[in-house]
Structures are given as structure tokens and as C-alpha cells.
Amino acid sequence: MYEFIRRSPAPVTRDEAAESVGISRKLAAFHLDKLVAVGLLDAGYARPGGPRRVGRAPKVYRPAGEDVRVSIPHREHALLAGILLDGVRHQAPGESGRDAAVRAAAERGRALGADERTRSGSGGLVPEKALAHAGEALERHGFAPDRVSTARIRLTNCPFQPLAGHDPDLVCGINHALLAGFLDGLGATGVTAALAPRPGMCCVELEASAPATEDDTDA
């Protein structure tokens, strides 16, 4: 039904949507309203002169203009493209393209981290809790974090594959800068992003520094 509505030159009624896939009007209405709820369709009512049911204008549906992309595992190609565009647009005189892209990645990471910090209201956490918070935030960006110990999170998915395979050094450098900037913007004090390439996984791991001991404090 969604594909039918996207191809239609005019808003589609429930009857038309139901007929397009051979189901009842009631079942079509259920699915159409679900698509509205998740933002893929907009709903309204037919203007005078259009198709009508007795006593009322029929509800009609049109595409909401949102892109639909499904990827398993999760990919963030648009994020990588945005970083590269920022690098090209703001490349400083004498700066290499790689350095510009890495700088743009760090800036984008800090912005993402700051947004997450504002959204969650967190900050000033001890390293282990900051590590856990960072992992939860990066889950939403498709990094598939796996907390292998209290002080280390392995990121088991690279959202920039398969593009990373074309230039691993460049993409890993961008990814490392992005995640380091993210931790900075998040305020994840005591948590660092470390390069740790593994086949089929993200090239970066997150590490929390050990809490200070009484001896360290005295020293």
C-alpha cells in the first residue's frame, strides 16, 4: 500500500488503498493509520468534488516525504557523506583532504555528543557510568556496543561498511575522530576512544580509566 500511495499522483482513499493490495477496507485503514503514526504518511480529507462516502468526506493519504531505508546491520552512510562534505567545504589552505575530513568528523562527533548530553541531562559521571552511557547512546547510531568488561566496550558493528573496505585507513581515522569527539561532547570524562581494528567490527573500542585509589589521591 505504501508503494501504491507513493506512486499515486493524488491522495489515496482507504478504499483505493485496500483495492490496490486486495484486502478489506477495515484492515487497510488499520495499516494506513499505523503508517501515519510512524511518520511515513500524512492523512487528511478529500476536497469537495473528490470521491465521497455518504455523509462525510473520505479520509485520504499521501506520502509524508520521508525517506525509507532498511539496513541490517545498521549503516550510517549519510553521516559519513555529511562528514566528507563538511571536510571539503571547510578545508583550510594547506590542509590535506584527509586532515579536513578527520577534523570535520571530530566536530560532528562533539555536536552529536552535546545533543545527547542535553537530551539525557547527564554529565559529570564517574568513568564506568560514563562508559555505560556512551554505549547506550552509540547503540542508537548502529555501533552495536558489547560491554566486555566494566572498563571496556567493543563496538561490534561498523556503520560505515562496506565503504570502509575501500579505504580502511581514511574511514577508520574519521570514525576514531568522530567517536573521540562524541565522548568529548557527551562529557564522558575518563572514557577514551582507542583504535582496535578487528575483522567485521568497528575499528574503535571505548575504554574507561580506572578510578583513582586512595594512594593515587595521596600522591
Side-chain angles (χ1 to χ4, degrees):
M1 284 193 303
Y2 179 75
E3 289 296 330
F4 173 75
I5 293 169
R6 285 205 66 86
R7 294 194 303 268
S8 176
V12 171
T13 66
R14 289 174 172 176
D15 289 322
E16 291 168 336
E19 184 179 355
S20 74
V21 292
I23 60 176
S24 71
R25 181 178 183 278
K26 183 177 180 180
L27 182 56
F30 171 80
H31 289 298
L32 288 167
D33 289 340
K34 289 290 186 182
L35 290 169
V36 171
V38 297
L40 296 178
L41 294 179
D42 288 332
Y45 290 91
R47 294 179 178 178
R52 292 182 62 86
R53 291 175 62 84
V54 176
R56 58 175 177 169
K59 202 169 189 179
V60 293
Y61 300 84
R62 61 180 60 81
E66 296 293 332
D67 288 340
V68 179
R69 293 184 177 90
V70 179
S71 177
I72 301 175
H74 185 93
R75 300 300 184 215
E76 287 276 5
H77 295 154
L79 175 58
L80 178 59
I83 289 169
L84 293 172
L85 285 173
D86 286 346
V88 170
R89 282 197 297 258
H90 304 297
Q91 185 174 356
E95 186 179 32
S96 70
R98 186 187 190 284
D99 288 346
V102 168
R103 178 174 50 78
E107 292 170 357
R108 182 67 65 94
R110 279 190 288 273
L112 290 173
D115 287 346
E116 173 64 26
R117 184 174 183 175
T118 299
R119 187 192 68 81
S120 62
S122 65
L125 300 174
V126 298
E128 287 187 7
K129 289 187 177 180
L131 178 68
H133 184 204
E136 290 170 4
L138 291 174
E139 177 76 44
R140 291 189 286 277
H141 290 282
F143 284 92
D146 177 23
R147 192 164 186 176
V148 294
S149 73
T150 57
R152 184 161 61 97
I153 285 180
R154 182 176 296 157
L155 303 175
T156 63
N157 179 54
C158 174
F160 301 142
Q161 287 290 4
L163 299 177
H166 296 298
D167 194 334
D169 288 342
L170 173 60
V171 177
C172 282
I174 289 172
N175 197 17
H176 183 222
L178 174 75
L179 292 173
F182 180 83
L183 294 173
D184 184 28
L186 187 64
T189 304
V191 181
T192 57
L195 280 171
R198 290 174 179 270
M201 296 187 183
C202 177
C203 58
V204 178
E205 291 185 352
L206 306 185
E207 299 176 348
S209 60
T213 64
E214 186 174 342
D215 290 340
D216 292 333
T217 305
D218 292 342

